[in-house]
Amino acid sequence: MILRKEFFRRPKNELERSSRIYKVPSPDVPGEMCVLCPSCKKPLLTGELNANANVCPECGYYFRMNARQRIHFIADENTFIELNSNLLSKNPLNFPNYPEKIKHARLESAEKEAVVTGTAEIGGFPCALFVMEARFMMGSMGTVVGEKITRIFEYATEHSLPVVGYIVSGGARMQEGILSLMQMAKTSGAVKRHSDAGNLYIAVLTDPTTGGVTASFGMEADIILAEPNALIGFAGPRVIEQTMRQKLPAGFQRAEFLLEKGFVDMISERKEQKKQITTLLSLHKEVSG
Amino acid sequence: MNAYEKVNAARAKNRPTGSDYIANIFQDFIEMHGDRRFGDDKAVITGIARLGNQPVTVIALEKGRDIKEKVYRNFGSAHPEGYRKALRQMKLAEKFGRPVVCFVDTAGAYCGIAAEERGQGQAIAENLMEMMTLKVPIISILIGEGGSGGALALAVADEVWMLENAVYSVISPEGCASILWKDSRKVKEASECLKLTADDLYRMKVIERIIGEHGRGFHLTCAELKRLLSQKLAENLRLSAEELVSNRYLRFRKFGSA
C-alpha cells in the first residue's frame, strides 16, 4: 500500500471531510452489509448485489448505480482517465438556496457535478465515456454538465473516438434558468459535429431519463440502448397526469414502450451490456484502419 | 414592469400572435402543411414568403386569437409533428438557399400521451441538432412566451431577438414555484428568480436584440422588424455556409464555458 501525504492532512472544511468519508467505499461496499429489495422485499447482501451488477438476484429489480460503479462496471480495469473533473457550478442567476443545494449534492454523491467524463477502453476498444450521476440533483443539466458533455464530444471529435454515454437525468437544471436551456443547444451542436465527422455515439438510457436531456443528447445517439423498465420521456408522468386529468396506462414511458414505439434500438440487460457495447464498438471499427 | 407583469403581458389575450407578424412583415405568404410522416400540426404555421425581394421560409408557433382558434391551434403547444413540419421546411430552405425566420410563442411543447408516444423529446432533439448546422441564415424572434425546450426547438439561430414584453425561460414560473416552495401561487417570486425578461436575457447575452413595442402601434413594431430582418439576413447571406455554421456553433458554445 502506498502511503500518501494527503491522507494525513487535516480536512480544511466540512465538505472536504465528508467527501473523503463517502468517497472511499463507493465501488465495493463491504459484503456483509444488507439492503431490502424495494420490489420483492427480500433482504440482499450488498456484496452479492454488486456481483450481480446491482440487479436483485431474486426478482430482477434494477437498483440505481452511481457513476463510479458504472465506470467500474463498463470500462476495462484501470483504463478510465477522467477529464475536466475540476469544473464547478457557480450561481449565475443568484438563485435562492442553489449554493446549499450544490453543497448537499456534493456530499450526497461524492462528485463535484452530475456527470463524470473521460476516456476509457471497453473490451479493448478506446472510447470517450460520460456517465451521469443521479445522486447529484437527479443528474440535472446546468452549465457545468453541459460544458463537460460538450468538451467530451469535442475531444472525441478531435481524436476520432466513439462516445459511450450513460444517461440518467431529470432534465435541465431550473436553478441555472435559461443558461441550462442553452446547454441543450450547445451539447446538440457538439454531438452534431462529432456525428458529421463520421464518429459513433452510443447512448444507454437508464432510469430516469427525462426533460431537456431526453430532448437533446439523450435522443441524438446513433444507437440507443435502454435498461429494462427505465422511465424515458420528455414530460414527466406526473405533469402529464395533471395536464390530461387521467391516469396513464401501465408501462407508459417505460423502456419497453419506447422500443415498441420505435424510439430505442434495444433493451439492454445490465449483465449483457458490456458485451453488447463491445460488439457494437467492434462492428464500427474500420477494417483496414 | 416587473418580471411578473412581463409574464402577464407576454400571455395577454389581445397580444399579436404569429400570423399577425407574418401578415404585416412579409408579402406573398404561401402556407405549407404537414410533416410527411404523421400529420399537420396546427400549432405550427410554416410557409414561404417574400421579404422585400428576398424569398424566405417563415415558421411561427401560433397560439390562436379567439377561443375557437386557440382550441384549433392547441394553444400554441406543438406535438412532435409540429417540430418535424418545421424541420421539413427548414431543410427545403437549405436546399433552395433561402433564409429562415422563426416566430416563437408557446407555453411549451405539448405534454400528453400522444406527444410522448410520437417522441416529443426526439423531435426537439433532432431540431436542435439539425438547426445547428443548417447552411442558410436563421433568425428567431420571441414574440410572446418562450417556454423551454418547445421554444428552443425553433430558436437555434444566428441571432435571437425578443419583443420588449416577451419572456423566455427553462420552466414556467408556476412550475418553478411549485418545485421551489411547493406552492404554485408564488408565481411573482418565481418570475423574478428565473431572470426571464428581455432585459435580463440581453444582459446574459442570450439574445442579441430587444424589439421595442409601441402599444397599439403594432404596425410600427412590424416595420421595425422588417427593416432589421432585411438588413441582418442580407448581411448573413453574404457569409459562406462554413462561416455561418461556425458562428452559430460559437454563439451557443459560449454559454457557461467560463
Side-chain angles (χ1 to χ4, degrees):
Chain A
M1 180 173 169
I2 309 157
L3 289 177
R4 297 229 306 254
K5 204 173 149 195
E6 63 257 38
F7 284 159
F8 298 98
R9 193 165 55 81
R10 192 185 294 272
K12 273 191 221 138
N13 52 39
E14 192 199 352
L15 182 65
E16 199 175 271
R17 179 184 299 125
S18 332
S19 71
R20 281 193 194 181
I21 297 166
Y22 278 80
K23 205 144 203 168
V24 184
S26 50
D28 33 21
V29 188
E32 68 274 14
M33 276 173 65
C34 195
V35 289
L36 274 186
C37 173
S39 175
C40 69
K41 314 285 178 219
K42 293 237 170 65
L44 305 166
L45 294 174
T46 45
E48 202 182 349
L49 196 56
N50 269 338
N52 201 40
N54 276 28
V55 178
C56 173
E58 299 291 330
C59 71
Y61 175 82
Y62 273 51
F63 284 79
R64 213 166 263 164
M65 283 172 104
N66 66 49
R68 300 291 159 179
Q69 285 175 319
R70 287 274 184 202
I71 293 166
H72 183 75
F73 168 74
I74 194 73
D76 298 348
E77 217 177 328
N78 296 323
T79 61
F80 181 70
I81 300 167
E82 191 168 352
L83 292 170
N84 300 308
S85 62
N86 287 321
L87 296 180
L88 297 176
S89 287
K90 302 189 188 82
N91 189 3
L93 268 56
N94 281 318
F95 205 90
N97 298 322
Y98 184 38
E100 290 75 21
K101 271 229 142 77
I102 290 274
K103 193 175 157 188
H104 180 77
R106 283 188 194 141
L107 293 178
E108 187 86 352
S109 64
E111 297 293 347
K112 291 194 181 113
E113 252 300 337
V115 69
V116 179
T117 63
T119 58
E121 284 180 22
I122 296 175
F125 294 99
C127 62
L129 181 65
F130 72 85
V131 181
M132 300 187 82
E133 174 57 72
R135 294 178 307 169
F136 197 109
M137 297 183 76
M138 194 34 89
S140 65
M141 172 161 68
T143 49
V144 170
V145 169
E147 182 66 19
K148 287 175 86 168
I149 299 277
T150 302
R151 284 193 193 180
I152 201 66
F153 274 96
E154 287 176 341
Y155 181 92
T157 308
E158 198 183 316
H159 295 87
S160 302
L161 286 172
V163 173
V164 175
Y166 272 89
I167 297 176
V168 55
S169 180
R173 190 175 295 170
M174 179 179 78
Q175 288 84 350
E176 292 187 39
I178 197 80
L179 296 174
S180 298
L181 192 71
M182 293 302 117
Q183 303 310 309
M184 291 169 62
K186 183 169 106 178
T187 52
S188 298
V191 173
K192 185 67 165 42
R193 280 192 167 186
H194 180 257
S195 174
D196 286 350
N199 299 301
L200 171 70
Y201 167 29
I202 302 172
V204 187
L205 308 184
T206 73
D207 185 64
T209 297
T210 59
V213 166
T214 300
S216 60
F217 59 87
M219 281 289 162
E220 288 168 350
D222 301 305
I223 297 170
I224 304 179
L225 315 187
E227 286 201 330
N229 202 40
L231 179 79
I232 303 162
F234 177 62
R238 254 179 311 159
V239 179
I240 301 173
E241 267 180 349
Q242 278 165 15
T243 319
M244 314 273 288
R245 292 168 206 281
Q246 67 179 83
K247 273 209 84 60
L248 297 172
F252 180 67
Q253 289 185 318
R254 295 291 165 183
E256 295 73 12
F257 173 88
L258 271 90
L259 181 74
E260 192 56 38
K261 298 292 172 190
F263 289 98
V264 302
D265 288 293
M266 62 172 113
I267 307 294
S268 176
E269 296 274 352
R270 243 178 229 170
K271 274 192 261 182
E272 302 299 320
Q273 236 162 58
K274 181 159 181 170
K275 210 174 111 208
Q276 285 169 343
I277 293 174
T278 303
T279 307
L280 288 170
L281 289 171
S282 78
L283 287 168
H284 289 81
K285 185 90 184 155
E286 278 175 45
V287 179
S288 58
Chain B
M1 272 199 246
N2 63 32
Y4 179 59
E5 286 162 344
K6 294 259 185 190
V7 170
N8 286 332
R11 294 172 176 173
K13 275 198 195 85
N14 52 357
R15 195 174 173 80
T17 63
S19 15
D20 296 321
Y21 287 88
I22 296 176
N24 283 282
I25 295 174
F26 306 94
Q27 301 87 49
D28 299 338
F29 177 72
I30 300 175
E31 189 173 354
M32 305 288 162
H33 294 276
D35 70 344
R36 302 295 190 275
R37 281 160 172 75
F38 176 80
D40 182 49
D41 193 328
K42 311 295 189 295
V44 182
I45 297 177
T46 64
I48 314 168
R50 215 179 283 280
L51 179 70
N53 290 323
Q54 175 66 49
V56 291
T57 287
V58 184
I59 298 168
L61 279 158
E62 173 60 55
K63 282 187 173 177
R65 280 159 287 196
D66 53 50
I67 187 66
K68 205 173 147 200
E69 199 201 353
K70 281 182 194 300
V71 171
Y72 176 73
R73 300 285 183 193
N74 199 30
F75 298 82
S77 283
H79 280 75
E81 54 271 23
Y83 295 108
R84 292 180 185 130
K85 170 182 177 178
L87 183 59
R88 193 181 105 74
Q89 290 304 325
M90 288 191 253
K91 286 293 192 187
L92 285 174
E94 185 177 53
K95 174 176 175 184
F96 295 107
R98 58 178 176 250
V100 178
V101 178
C102 298
F103 295 93
V104 178
D105 187 14
T106 181
Y110 191 65
C111 326
I113 292 178
E116 292 293 321
E117 267 178 357
R118 300 200 284 275
Q120 189 71 285
Q122 190 276 336
I124 294 171
E126 191 169 6
N127 277 23
L128 303 185
M129 243 178 138
E130 293 300 326
M131 289 177 83
M132 202 51 103
T133 53
L134 203 78
K135 294 182 185 65
V136 288
I138 312 174
I139 306 275
S140 292
I141 306 161
L142 290 137
I143 55 170
E145 269 187 289
S148 199
L152 182 68
L154 293 178
V156 178
D158 308 326
E159 289 204 357
V160 179
W161 302 345
M162 213 166 151
L163 270 285
E164 190 185 334
N165 297 324
V167 294
Y168 190 14
S169 174
V170 69
I171 186 171
S172 69
E174 289 79 5
C176 173
S178 73
I179 294 173
L180 213 55
W181 296 291
K182 313 265 173 257
D183 183 356
S184 59
R185 286 164 305 177
K186 292 199 172 177
V187 189
K188 246 181 212 172
E189 293 86 335
S191 306
E192 292 293 339
C193 291
L194 287 167
K195 305 273 192 291
L196 42 62
T197 70
D199 285 331
D200 290 326
L201 298 171
Y202 184 76
R203 224 172 293 134
M204 290 192 276
K205 298 190 163 62
V206 172
I207 58 166
E208 275 79 9
R209 195 182 276 283
I210 302 174
I211 311 292
E213 292 181 30
H214 300 83
R216 289 192 189 157
F218 179 61
H219 61 286
L220 296 174
T221 307
C222 287
E224 170 84 341
L225 272 173
K226 186 173 178 178
R227 187 180 65 78
L228 292 167
L229 279 171
S230 308
Q231 199 183 318
K232 191 70 210 173
L233 291 178
E235 203 178 294
N236 281 0
L237 277 167
R238 284 194 289 272
L239 300 175
S240 70
E242 291 71 33
E243 283 173 299
L244 204 57
V245 168
S246 161
N247 291 349
R248 203 178 297 142
Y249 186 81
L250 294 173
R251 183 193 185 277
F252 288 92
R253 184 67 187 84
K254 70 176 189 275
F255 298 115
S257 61

